[in-house]
Amino acid sequence: MSFNMYVPTRILFGLGAVKKLHEQEFPGKKAVIVISNGKSTKENGYLDTVKSEMSKAGVETVVFDKIQPNPLKATAEEGGKFARENNCDFIVALGGGSVMDAAKAMAFMATNPGDLWDYIVGGSGKGQPMQEKPLPIVCITTTAGTGSEADQWGVISHDERNEKIGFGGWDELFPVLSIIDPELMKTVPPKFTAYQGFDALFHATECYISKGANMMSDMYALTAIENIASYLARAVKDGNDIEAREHVAFANTLSGIVMTICSTTAEHSIEHAMSAFHHELPHGAGLIMISKAFYEFFIEQHACDERFIKMAQVMGIPNANKPEDFITALVNLQKACGVEQLKMSEYGFTPDEFEAIAANAKETMGGLFLANPCELPHEGCVEILRKSYQ
């Protein structure tokens, strides 16, 4: 029954929400708008819309447009310096999970001395405490994937050390305001809609089987799982299906909140290690690749049979009565979204890397292993990777 819940972010959700941006209160008069190094935010007009809205609110803006799909430590540090040198009062993250994650690291490095890895816990990080309060953050999400608009965490890669680690955890890194406008998600291509949707799904499924699960986290997790299972395939099939976009966006935000009350598991540790070795691998795609084998491990151990049955029930098998029904529901959703045949080999993986990836997962994000419903040894991680390889 015990839980600790603190989600101080003001969330503005709904169609057209971005057009209400100018009506909000902001923590300053100058902001850096952070976007990806791609073209979509500019070409779709989202950047111009946000700049216009901020101008109406009397806020001056500058733009930092260098964030990679797996944001790098050096880029976050460069962005922090950019915000500091431009005397920005706060940061506006306009984009998907990578942009929001990087913006949190930028906000931190704009005010704190030293190297980002000084403050990272895990791997070669030094785990030092925060020294100065970071710049406030406003999130405007253009995807439904990470839930980063609702939590105080980000994920950053150290490309020189093959480390991809969660950064944050401080209450000061919660966004002060998040805009979730499903209209901004209509242009996300089908495969990325699927990758992002499964990332949100796994945040919820992992938290539901986690040792840290509680009545509050269960409520958020099951609602997120049900909405993704019901609407993701529709959003993948037709990006303009606004009802589907709304429900997937809603589920995604819930999946972010559930991670503030609970914890994901080693599925995320393993995938972070995978994309630390192969930066071109989209996070959601990596999770999809290993998901079946990952959950089968805990089903074979009978770690939490009733929880797998309950998830299967809300995923469209109302008469589910055995944990294996969850795997059936999961595979059915992957097939409906066209992602059941993703291949590690297409991203350059080879089986001789699996020992190193498994070791990296434990070394860099070992804390998530503690949330697993039962012990997952090194050999088990390697076997999950082997079973997933194609």
Side-chain angles (χ1 to χ4, degrees):
M1 294 287 291
S2 299
F3 63 89
N4 181 350
M5 183 171 183
Y6 179 66
V7 186
T9 303
R10 179 179 295 280
I11 293 175
L12 195 60
F13 183 101
L15 301 178
V18 72
K19 297 293 182 64
K20 298 178 181 178
L21 191 58
H22 69 277
E23 300 172 3
Q24 310 308 307
E25 291 186 16
F26 294 102
K29 289 296 183 182
K30 187 172 184 181
V32 52
I33 301 175
V34 182
I35 63 174
S36 76
N37 60 2
K39 299 177 181 178
S40 61
T41 310
K42 296 175 182 177
E43 290 182 349
N44 292 327
Y46 302 157
L47 177 60
D48 286 342
T49 296
V50 170
K51 287 169 71 174
S52 174
E53 288 289 311
M54 300 302 289
S55 179
K56 287 180 188 177
V59 176
E60 181 185 352
T61 57
V62 291
V63 176
F64 185 80
D65 60 358
K66 300 183 179 183
I67 307 303
Q68 303 91 348
N70 279 310
L72 298 178
K73 164 187 175 289
T75 308
E77 290 173 340
E78 181 185 352
K81 182 181 179 183
F82 180 85
R84 188 169 59 249
E85 291 178 345
N86 282 275
N87 298 311
C88 293
D89 303 312
F90 65 105
I91 290 178
V92 176
L94 173 61
S98 299
V99 170
M100 293 184 284
D101 286 5
K104 292 173 186 176
M106 283 177 53
F108 188 94
M109 292 311 297
T111 59
N112 282 275
D115 182 291
L116 180 62
W117 242 242
D118 292 342
Y119 305 96
I120 287 281
V121 177
S124 62
K126 297 180 181 178
Q128 293 180 4
M130 176 175 64
Q131 297 186 36
E132 301 292 339
K133 188 175 179 179
L135 295 181
I137 304 155
V138 172
C139 288
I140 305 168
T141 180
T142 60
T143 67
T146 68
S148 192
E149 70 274 13
D151 69 24
Q152 74 281 45
W153 291 94
V155 179
I156 304 295
S157 295
H158 195 315
D159 54 329
E160 297 173 1
R161 298 179 185 172
N162 287 337
E163 293 182 344
K164 181 180 177 183
I165 303 180
F167 167 77
W170 293 284
D171 288 346
E172 292 82 358
L173 285 176
F174 274 106
V176 295
L177 170 69
S178 286
I179 305 288
I180 301 110
D181 186 343
E183 288 276 4
L184 304 184
M185 303 172 187
K186 287 163 60 175
T187 55
V188 178
K191 72 174 183 179
F192 287 105
T193 297
Y195 298 165
Q196 293 154 8
F198 272 97
D199 185 16
L201 175 70
F202 295 136
H203 289 157
T205 56
E206 289 177 56
C207 284
Y208 192 66
I209 67 169
S210 167
K211 281 184 177 176
N214 55 73
M215 288 187 72
M216 183 65 80
S217 66
D218 286 354
M219 178 183 71
Y220 283 104
L222 287 172
T223 304
I225 293 165
E226 183 175 17
N227 275 269
I228 291 171
S230 300
Y231 290 96
L232 180 59
R234 279 175 52 180
V236 171
K237 183 178 179 180
D238 178 7
N240 290 310
D241 183 339
I242 201 63
E243 181 185 32
R245 289 289 191 189
E246 285 179 302
H247 281 270
V248 175
F250 173 63
N252 174 58
T253 298
L254 295 189
S255 79
I257 294 172
V258 74
M259 290 187 290
T260 72
I261 315 167
C262 189
S263 170
T264 53
T265 64
E267 183 180 12
H268 267 70
S269 303
I270 297 169
E271 198 297 314
H272 286 168
M274 290 166 63
S275 46
F277 278 68
H278 296 272
H279 287 284
E280 299 306 309
L281 175 66
H283 175 55
L287 290 170
I288 293 166
M289 290 172 183
I290 63 173
S291 59
K292 182 174 180 287
F294 180 83
Y295 291 105
E296 283 176 341
F297 175 87
F298 296 104
I299 288 171
E300 290 166 3
Q301 301 295 317
H302 297 284
C304 51
D305 287 355
E306 291 303 316
R307 289 192 165 251
F308 281 110
I309 292 169
K310 183 63 177 178
M311 288 193 295
Q313 290 170 349
V314 302
M315 288 181 73
I317 306 179
N319 297 322
N321 58 12
K322 58 185 184 299
E324 290 82 4
D325 290 332
F326 170 76
I327 300 298
T328 300
L330 177 63
V331 172
N332 286 345
L333 184 59
Q334 291 178 355
K335 288 178 178 177
C337 294
V339 294
E340 79 280 9
Q341 294 297 327
L342 290 175
K343 293 180 172 60
M344 283 191 207
S345 56
E346 291 182 356
Y347 290 91
F349 286 87
T350 56
D352 60 6
E353 295 177 294
F354 294 163
E355 289 280 348
I357 290 172
N360 182 287
K362 192 73 174 282
E363 290 165 3
T364 59
M365 295 198 68
L368 297 187
F369 280 77
L370 302 177
N372 288 337
C374 69
E375 184 182 1
L376 173 60
H378 173 81
E379 296 77 16
C381 285
V382 174
E383 188 61 20
I384 286 168
L385 290 163
R386 286 189 181 129
K387 285 183 176 179
S388 304
Y389 185 77
Q390 55 178 336

